[in-house]
């Protein structure tokens, strides 16, 4: 649980085609994600249990220079796939190596 009302992090896609998690995990009380793609690459975001279950065809597409806001709800309200016996987490992939994605977590009081 984060004690901050909002906080920022990044996800660095070192190799295109390899899903990565943000540097700072999504806090349990985060209810909204603000994602900015400042790069020239296309970025993909997905909520899944493990990197191997990341599917570009069903991911959110964030075009070059684009941004998106996603209301995900606190952890207790988020759906889980159960894949890999792990809780789902936020993953990113991109069409170019070295793509950096900027993420803001908007946190609430409920987890």
């Amino acid at each position: 649980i984060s004690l901050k009302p909002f906080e920022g992090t990044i996800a660095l896609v070192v190799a295109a085609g390899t899903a990565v998690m943000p540097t700072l995990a999504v806090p349990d009380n985060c209810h909204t994600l603000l994602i900015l793609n400042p790069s020239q690459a296309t970025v993909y975001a997905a909520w899944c249990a493990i990197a191997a279950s990341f599917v570009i065809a069903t991911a959110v597409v964030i075009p070059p220079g684009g941004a998106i806001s996603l209301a995900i709800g606190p952890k207790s309200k988020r759906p889980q796939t159960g894949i890999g016996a792990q809780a789902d987490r936020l993953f990113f992939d991109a069409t170019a190596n070295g793509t950096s994605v900027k993420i803001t977590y908007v946190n609430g009081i409920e987890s």
Side-chain angles (χ1 to χ4, degrees):
I1 294 176
S2 175
L3 299 177
K4 300 175 182 176
F6 56 87
E7 53 198 314
T9 190
I10 65 163
L12 178 60
V13 179
V14 176
T18 305
V20 299
M21 292 187 302
T23 304
L24 177 65
V26 179
D28 292 352
N29 59 329
C30 173
H31 58 74
T32 304
L33 301 171
L34 305 172
I35 304 167
L36 171 65
N37 173 13
S39 76
Q40 295 301 311
T42 298
V43 166
Y44 304 98
W47 197 255
C48 49
I50 56 176
S53 63
F54 188 99
V55 179
I56 287 177
T58 57
V60 172
V61 177
I62 307 167
I68 190 166
S69 173
L70 299 171
I72 62 169
K75 184 177 181 181
S76 62
K77 308 289 186 202
R78 297 177 200 152
Q80 301 294 315
T81 63
I83 296 171
Q86 296 187 36
D88 285 359
R89 296 169 288 178
L90 181 62
F91 283 89
F92 292 93
D93 200 349
T95 57
N97 295 346
T99 300
S100 183
V101 183
K102 297 184 182 229
I103 308 120
T104 300
Y105 302 138
V106 180
N107 303 318
I109 58 172
E110 185 179 26
S111 60

